[in-house]
Amino acid sequence: MARFIIEEHNSSKFIKRNDLINSNKLFIKRGFSLSNKNSSLSQSIYLDGAFKGPLFDSKNKIFSLDHHENCVRQITKSTCEQALLFAKYGTFDNTIYDVIGNDPDLDTVIAGWILLNIDEIRQSEVYQKLLPLVLVEGNIDSYGFGYEDILGLSKDVILQEKNRIEWLREDEIKFKQLNKWGTIDYVEYTLSVFNKLDEFLLFNLNKNYTPEYRVRLKYQFILDNGKHLLFIE
């Protein structure tokens, strides 16, 4: 059984967990952005630029994990770093949220994966595997390249996570090089990166997890004995 499924509500596609009765929902709405809390819905978490500026309204359960506007960039943590801290320490417990982003860059996608997998984050093995990736991606997203020394991680760990980031972003980079980033299905793309994160974070830790592989039939031949010979990729 796939851990994530895509469903639709009011013409908006979203990703949710397939193995939980109650799951947060992740929407990636191209170009969506709010700047007024009065326009936002309760039980909502806004990622990156989906809401302009950080917001923490625990009474109405409205949160923005933005780190671009109405904040001091140098000291405001990236979206995925904020998500990891809030998930780890129980900020979003006991409530089902709509999680809303407007562009599936890696900072947003990792944050979305975290907020749909708070139960997994509570497992120390998952948290320990995820933490270096979040720190390096958050550092790059906030400051660009060349400031990794402030993380206090070894050069080997930083290089390892940079390579992992390149692997996670390979389709994003390809689409941008082909000038197709603005036309792809953002939700489908996000799901493909979720599957990679699952492969990295859960495959060796969760005996109930099986990586999801998508294959395509390339050639099919009928042999003399009536059997079918299939070539897949």
Side-chain angles (χ1 to χ4, degrees):
M1 180 179 67
R3 287 204 329 120
F4 301 104
I5 57 172
I6 294 176
E7 295 185 352
E8 190 169 322
H9 178 69
N10 292 335
S11 300
S12 293
K13 295 168 70 174
F14 62 86
I15 302 171
K16 62 178 288 189
R17 286 275 294 276
N18 195 29
D19 57 338
L20 296 179
I21 296 175
N22 296 311
S23 167
N24 290 339
K25 303 172 183 177
L26 175 64
F27 298 81
I28 304 291
K29 301 181 179 182
R30 181 181 279 106
F32 179 92
S33 184
L34 295 178
S35 57
N36 187 335
K37 186 179 75 171
N38 294 330
S39 302
S40 56
L41 299 175
S42 63
Q43 297 180 212
S44 297
I45 304 170
Y46 297 93
L47 305 180
D48 227 358
F51 189 99
K52 295 182 178 179
L55 176 65
F56 191 97
D57 182 349
S58 58
K59 179 180 178 180
N60 295 301
K61 298 186 183 300
I62 304 171
F63 304 91
S64 169
L65 310 188
D66 188 30
H67 68 118
H68 292 283
E69 299 195 31
N70 302 318
C71 65
V72 180
R73 288 289 308 264
Q74 292 87 342
I75 60 173
T76 304
K77 292 184 179 298
S78 68
T79 297
C80 63
E81 290 175 284
Q82 292 183 59
L84 185 61
L85 288 171
F86 287 139
K88 177 69 172 176
Y89 296 108
T91 305
F92 302 136
D93 282 1
N94 305 317
T95 301
I96 303 303
Y97 287 92
D98 285 348
V99 182
I100 303 166
N102 63 7
D103 184 280
D105 67 0
L106 190 57
D107 184 31
T108 292
V109 173
I110 293 175
W113 189 94
I114 290 168
L115 295 172
L116 266 62
N117 289 277
I118 293 175
D119 57 322
E120 300 289 353
I121 299 300
R122 298 296 171 76
Q123 296 186 43
S124 61
E125 299 96 334
V126 174
Y127 177 78
Q128 293 300 325
K129 289 186 73 173
L130 181 58
L131 181 58
L133 172 64
V134 167
L135 292 175
V136 175
E137 167 58 23
N139 178 274
I140 293 171
D141 192 83
S142 294
Y143 312 121
F145 292 99
Y147 297 92
E148 297 88 351
D149 57 324
I150 67 175
L151 294 172
L153 299 174
S154 71
K155 291 182 179 180
D156 288 344
V157 170
I158 291 171
L159 178 60
Q160 171 184 277
E161 298 309 324
K162 281 184 173 180
N163 290 336
R164 203 181 318 279
I165 287 168
E166 184 176 342
W167 169 62
L168 291 167
R169 293 188 64 229
E170 59 184 356
D171 287 336
E172 175 191 344
I173 293 169
K174 178 185 68 177
F175 287 132
K176 288 181 174 178
Q177 288 174 341
L178 296 172
N179 293 319
K180 292 184 178 180
W181 184 248
T183 60
I184 66 168
D185 186 316
Y186 278 171
V187 175
E188 292 282 355
Y189 168 79
T190 299
L191 179 60
S192 72
V193 183
F194 273 19
N195 290 332
K196 284 187 172 183
L197 287 166
D198 271 11
E199 182 180 342
F200 159 51
L201 292 165
L202 302 181
F203 181 48
N204 292 322
L205 300 178
N206 187 339
K207 63 183 180 180
N208 296 319
Y209 168 69
T210 301
E212 180 178 328
Y213 297 101
R214 298 187 178 186
V215 299
R216 182 172 70 90
L217 178 63
K218 190 171 184 179
Y219 302 111
Q220 176 175 311
F221 302 99
I222 300 177
L223 304 179
D224 291 340
N225 60 7
K227 292 184 178 181
H228 292 249
L229 178 63
L230 307 179
F231 291 84
I232 62 175
E233 62 179 6

